[in-house]
Amino acid sequence: MEELSSDVIIKTLSMLPIMPLVRCRFVCKSWLNLTHDPHLIDTHLSFSSENEAHFGLILKTSAPIGRALSQSNLFLVANDGADDLYKCVNVSFSLPSFSTYEIMGSCNGLLCLFNPISKHLTHIFNPCTREYMVLPSPQRAPELIVDVVVGFGFLAEQKEYKLVEVVYYGSELVGEGVLWCKVNLYTLGDKSWKSLGYCPYSLCGRGCSEAFVNGALHWVSDGYDDGAGLVSHIVAFDLARESFEVVPHPEFDSGRLNYTLGVLRGCLSATKCKFRDYVEIWVMKSYGVKESWTKCLKIVCDEVGLIIGAVRPLFFQKNGEILLQHGGILLSYNPLTKKLREVRVSGMPRSFKAFVHVGSLVLPCSLVGK
C-alpha cells in the first residue's frame, strides 16, 4: 500500500461493490481513515451510480412487538463482488425515540426516515456505515394532519440534498376530507425548513416520490385531460426551481390510469399492469419529451406461464435481465428468452417493501452545518 499513490488506491477501491468496501474499514486504522476521504466517497459514488452491477436493494420489514407497537428492520441486498449472487445482510439500527419508521426515499446511499406516529421526517441514515443525522422538525399548523407526501433528492451542481413534504390538513369532523395543504422544503445542513405555499396538484395518498430523475421528484396524480376524461398525470417537483410541473405521460396499450413510476437506466419509467394479461414498461428516453416515451418491454402472462398482477421494475442486472418485485417476492425477467424466474436470496425476509439502493460511504454527519 505504501508504494502505491493515493490516486491509484482511491481509483482501485472506488470500483469495489459497497459490501467489500465497508469491510476495508476493519483492516486497519489507515484504511478506516481512507474510507472517510471525501475524494474516495465521491469517486466511489459516481462509479456505483453509473454501474448497475453495483445496484442493490433495501428491504424494510415490520414485526409486532406488542398490542399496538411494531419494530422496523432493514436488510441490504447487494452483490459482494465475488460472484453474480446477491447477499442479504441485516442492517437494522436502534433509534433513541421510536422503534417503527417508514422509508421515504433512497438517494446516494442515504435513506430518509419518517415517523408514522408523529408524521415527521426524522433521520437521514446510511445503512452501510450505520451512521445517521437528526432532522429538524418543520413548523406545523394545529389542524388535523390527514396525510404527508415526501420526496428526497440531490442536486449535483450545488451538491445539495433536499427534502420536500406536502402536508395535507383536514378537520376533526367526519367526512370533511382534505381542506388544504402546505409545502415545506429543507436543505440538509440548514437550521430549519422553509414554506413554499401550497401544491396545485392532488398528491394525497401517494406517500414517497416514486422516481428522482433530471433533478426532479415524481408522483402520479389523478386528474382530467383536455377532453374532460379521467387520466393519471405525472407531477414533478423540480428541486432547483422549487416548483411543481406536469410531465407528459406515455400512451399505454390499456389506457392512462393506474400506473407506477420508477427509474431504469437513468430514465423515467412508467409501468402499467393489466391483471392476468400482461405488464408493459415504458421509458422516457429524452426527459420532458412526450414523443420519446418508448415501450421498453412487455411481459405476457401466457408466455411466461405465470399469472402476475402489480409488478414493480427495480433495475437491469449485469446479465441483462430485469429485476422485479411482485408482492413479497423478487422476479427476474429475460427479455430475449422471455423467461421469468424467482430470485431467492439467503437470509431474505418473507415479507418486505423493497427500495432500489446504491450503497455509498456518504457520511450523514458531514451534511450538518456545511
Side-chain angles (χ1 to χ4, degrees), residues 95-309:
L95 291 170
S97 55
F98 57 96
S99 60
T100 184
Y101 50 84
E102 298 295 338
I103 297 176
M104 288 300 200
S106 173
C107 179
N108 290 354
L110 302 177
L111 302 180
C112 177
L113 304 184
F114 177 82
N115 185 337
I117 299 175
S118 66
K119 299 188 186 315
H120 279 97
L121 292 170
T122 59
H123 298 78
I124 298 298
F125 172 59
N126 186 326
C128 296
T129 64
R130 311 290 181 93
E131 296 166 308
Y132 64 87
M133 64 170 285
V134 179
L135 296 171
S137 297
Q139 290 186 343
R140 296 280 181 81
E143 287 84 357
L144 181 67
I145 295 178
V146 175
D147 192 26
V148 180
V149 177
V150 174
F152 177 40
F154 176 70
L155 293 176
E157 287 190 16
Q158 296 88 336
K159 294 186 177 181
E160 290 181 337
Y161 289 87
K162 290 189 175 184
L163 295 165
V164 63
E165 65 166 22
V166 184
V167 185
Y168 289 90
Y169 297 94
S171 169
E172 294 183 356
L173 298 177
V174 178
E176 285 289 338
V178 174
L179 299 180
W180 61 292
C181 72
K182 180 181 179 183
V183 181
N184 297 315
L185 183 78
Y186 177 68
T187 301
L188 265 61
D190 287 355
K191 293 183 178 180
S192 61
W193 293 71
K194 69 176 181 179
S195 175
L196 297 181
Y198 76 100
C199 174
Y201 304 99
S202 176
L203 301 180
C204 189
R206 294 299 179 176
C208 62
S209 167
E210 296 179 282
F212 179 65
V213 181
N214 201 54
L217 300 157
H218 298 79
W219 298 265
V220 176
S221 171
D222 293 335
Y224 292 89
D225 60 12
D226 295 336
L230 188 63
V231 62
S232 295
H233 293 294
I234 299 176
V235 174
F237 180 82
D238 189 290
L239 288 182
R241 294 198 296 267
E242 299 182 355
S243 62
F244 290 94
E245 60 186 21
V246 173
V247 176
H249 55 72
E251 297 297 333
F252 293 103
D253 298 340
S254 53
R256 295 177 291 170
L257 290 170
N258 302 323
Y259 55 89
T260 59
L261 303 177
V263 182
L264 288 174
R265 291 175 173 166
C267 297
L268 181 66
S269 72
T271 302
K272 180 72 182 290
C273 303
K274 189 175 182 183
F275 183 63
R276 303 177 70 93
D277 196 348
Y278 62 80
V279 174
E280 50 180 316
I281 303 174
W282 293 62
V283 294
M284 182 181 257
K285 295 188 174 181
S286 296
Y287 185 80
V289 180
K290 183 177 179 63
E291 293 74 21
S292 72
W293 276 111
T294 305
K295 191 190 301 181
C296 177
L297 55 87
K298 189 172 184 177
I299 305 174
V300 181
C301 294
D302 289 341
E303 292 179 346
V304 299
L306 181 67
I307 296 176
I308 52 178

